[in-house]
């Protein structure tokens, strides 16, 4: 079987922009029209590189005394050995060379044409959103609202979900060619379900067991859920999961840091709340009740601590005034 060589021009995301097929070596690359591959890159030389076999029969790219040379992992080389996965930079152009013996990876299962799966995801997402809307409306209904009020709330939820999923589906269509609206809608519904369940959970734990610190830092748990939701949206558009994990984790840490800073500047504490504001029915209180004697003792202890702090401050002020006297 005759051997062919394929020179691929890549973008900075690693996707192939152009592929050139050759049956013979060497292959000249540069901006001149006399080259076999003409690059439209002002950072490459007129005759920048030569792709050929070295004395050991290995495929290499050799620099032709260009100003910017051949770069591999940020370092400049006079020549670079090409193994089919090596990406060498000429100026600002990324080049990869493979021959017809190169073994490609196994095909990826395409589930985008499984219409039953798409409709199942779409239906599950709609059911989840409607259930969340109705449950929240019912829990917050203290005035015996009409059925039309429930329908209006549900419509608002569905419109918000459609707008969110539509934006991601548009980005998915632009960058990967498939909209995946149903999947983005399911991811969104899963995200808001997780947010709602977490909100109810740490409210219950804070009230039932006096674990109020759950509610003090609830915004950071919400940030984690939002970051995970955005991560799954991005995975449908781009499958570089390692990079996406780093990006989403970095954004989550940055957001949490900004919240800590804002809380400390406004209240001199890092917590989101100074006290628990959500009150549930008394029957949901599971921790033991404290007696009036214990309450009075805690008040007396608090009074003693405040008096001690005041006396300490007065003493320090007096000592400072005595020090400043001539």
């Amino acid at each position: 079987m005759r051997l062919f060589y394929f020179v691929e021009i890549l973008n900075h995301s690693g996707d192939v922009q152009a592929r050139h097929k050759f049956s013979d070596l060497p292959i000249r690359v540069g901006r001149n029209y006399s080259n076999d591959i003409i690059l439209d890159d002002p950072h490459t030389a007129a005759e920048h590189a030569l792709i050929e076999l070295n004395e050991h029969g290995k495929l290499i790219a050799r620099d032709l005394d260009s100003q910017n040379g051949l770069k591999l992992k940020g370092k400049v080389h006079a020549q670079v050995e090409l193994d089919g996965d090596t990406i060498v930079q000429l100026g600002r152009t990324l080049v990869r060379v493979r021959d017809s013996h190169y073994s490609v990876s196994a095909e990826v299962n395409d589930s985008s044409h499984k219409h039953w799966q798409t409709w199942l995801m779409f239906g599950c997402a709609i059911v989840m959103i409607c259930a969340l809307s109705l449950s929240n409306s019912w829990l917050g209904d203290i005035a015996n609202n009409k059925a039309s009020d429930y329908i209006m709330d549900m419509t608002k939820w569905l419109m918000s979900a459609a707008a969110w999923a539509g934006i991601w589906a548009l980005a998915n269509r632009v960058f990967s060619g498939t909209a995946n609206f149903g999947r983005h809608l399911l991811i969104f519904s899963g995200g808001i379900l997780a947010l709602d369940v977490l909100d109810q959970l740490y409210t219950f734990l804070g009230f039932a067991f006096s674990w109020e610190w759950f509610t003090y830092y609830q915004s950071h748990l919400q940030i984690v859920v939002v970051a995970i939701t955005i991560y799954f949206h991005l995975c449908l558009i781009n499958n570089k999961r390692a990079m996406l994990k780093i990006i989403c984790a970095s954004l989550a840490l940055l957001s949490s840091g900004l919240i800590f800073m804002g809380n400390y500047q406004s209240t001199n504490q890092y917590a989101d709340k100074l006290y628990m504001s959500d009150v549930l029915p008394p029957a949901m209180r599971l921790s033991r009740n404290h007696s009036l004697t214990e309450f009075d003792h805690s008040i007396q202890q608090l009074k003693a601590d405040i008096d001690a702090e005041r006396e300490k401050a007065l003493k320090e002020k007096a000592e400072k005034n005595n020090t400043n006297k001539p």
Side-chain angles (χ1 to χ4, degrees):
M1 181 178 177
R2 188 174 183 182
L3 189 64
F4 293 95
Y5 300 94
F6 300 87
V7 181
E8 299 174 335
I9 309 299
L10 312 178
N11 60 21
H12 288 278
S13 297
D15 300 319
V16 178
Q17 290 185 317
R19 182 178 287 113
H20 305 274
K21 181 179 180 181
F22 297 91
S23 58
D24 298 306
L25 295 175
I27 303 168
R28 305 185 73 88
V29 184
R31 284 189 296 114
N32 259 353
Y33 286 90
S34 58
N35 291 292
D36 300 303
I37 297 178
I38 303 170
L39 300 179
D40 187 17
D41 180 358
H43 301 90
T44 57
E47 295 181 353
H48 197 104
L50 193 67
I51 299 171
E52 60 183 357
L53 297 175
N54 62 12
E55 62 273 13
H56 303 292
K58 300 289 186 180
L59 191 64
I60 64 167
R62 180 165 58 87
D63 180 51
L64 297 177
D65 297 325
S66 65
Q67 182 176 344
N68 293 316
L70 305 177
K71 291 183 181 179
L72 179 64
K73 297 180 180 180
K75 295 183 179 180
V76 179
H77 299 268
Q79 69 178 35
V80 175
E81 185 173 322
L82 307 173
D83 62 0
D85 292 318
T86 304
I87 299 176
V88 62
Q89 182 175 339
L90 285 64
R92 292 186 179 178
T93 303
L94 301 179
V95 175
R96 180 175 64 196
V97 183
R98 291 173 173 174
D99 59 34
S100 52
H101 290 163
Y102 181 84
S103 298
V104 298
S105 59
E107 65 178 317
V108 178
N109 182 38
D110 182 12
S111 58
S112 61
H113 299 295
K114 296 179 181 178
H115 299 291
W116 65 269
Q117 192 178 68
T118 303
W119 281 109
L120 179 61
M121 291 180 177
F122 182 80
C124 290
I126 295 297
V127 170
M128 289 169 61
I129 293 169
C130 292
L132 279 171
S133 171
L134 293 174
S135 62
N136 279 273
S137 299
W138 178 72
L139 289 173
D141 187 2
I142 59 174
N144 295 322
N145 291 331
K146 299 177 181 179
S148 59
D149 296 325
Y150 286 85
I151 295 174
M152 288 299 298
D153 288 340
M154 188 167 55
T155 302
K156 292 176 182 178
W157 277 63
L158 289 172
M159 290 179 65
S160 300
W164 176 272
I167 292 172
W168 283 104
L170 177 62
N172 208 150
R173 183 71 177 179
V174 170
F175 292 104
S176 64
T178 306
N180 284 325
F181 178 81
R183 298 188 180 196
H184 285 294
L185 190 65
L186 183 64
I187 292 171
F188 172 78
S189 60
I192 60 172
L193 176 62
L195 287 173
D196 189 73
V197 169
L198 277 176
D199 182 65
Q200 301 297 334
L201 178 62
Y202 46 63
T203 298
F204 169 74
L205 293 175
F207 181 83
F209 300 101
S210 298
W211 296 344
E212 298 183 22
W213 58 271
F214 273 104
T215 61
Y216 294 164
Y217 300 98
Q218 65 184 37
S219 63
H220 303 284
L221 293 175
Q222 293 170 346
I223 287 174
V224 172
V225 174
V226 171
I228 293 173
T229 303
I230 292 176
Y231 166 75
F232 282 111
H233 280 303
L234 292 172
C235 283
L236 288 179
I237 300 175
N238 192 314
N239 60 359
K240 295 184 177 180
R241 302 199 170 191
M243 179 186 69
L244 295 178
K245 288 178 182 178
I246 294 174
I247 292 173
C248 292
S250 300
L251 291 176
L253 291 173
L254 177 61
S255 300
S256 291
L258 291 175
I259 289 176
F260 277 129
M261 291 174 57
N263 291 341
Y264 190 79
Q265 288 180 350
S266 58
T267 63
N268 207 33
Q269 294 187 20
Y270 294 108
D272 299 330
K273 299 179 180 179
L274 301 180
Y275 58 91
M276 184 175 176
S277 58
D278 298 318
V279 180
L280 299 178
M284 302 186 72
R285 180 77 175 172
L286 301 179
S287 60
R288 73 178 184 87
N289 294 325
H290 297 273
S291 65
L292 290 175
T293 303
E294 290 176 310
F295 178 75
D296 183 66
H297 177 73
S298 64
I299 292 297
Q300 294 300 325
Q301 183 63 44
L302 178 62
K303 181 177 180 299
D305 293 341
I306 293 174
D307 290 341
E309 288 290 334
R310 183 171 62 248
E311 290 179 4
K312 181 180 178 181
L314 291 173
K315 184 178 180 181
E316 290 177 351
K317 183 177 180 181
E319 292 177 352
K320 184 177 180 181
N321 290 335
N322 292 332
T323 303
N324 293 334
K325 287 183 179 180

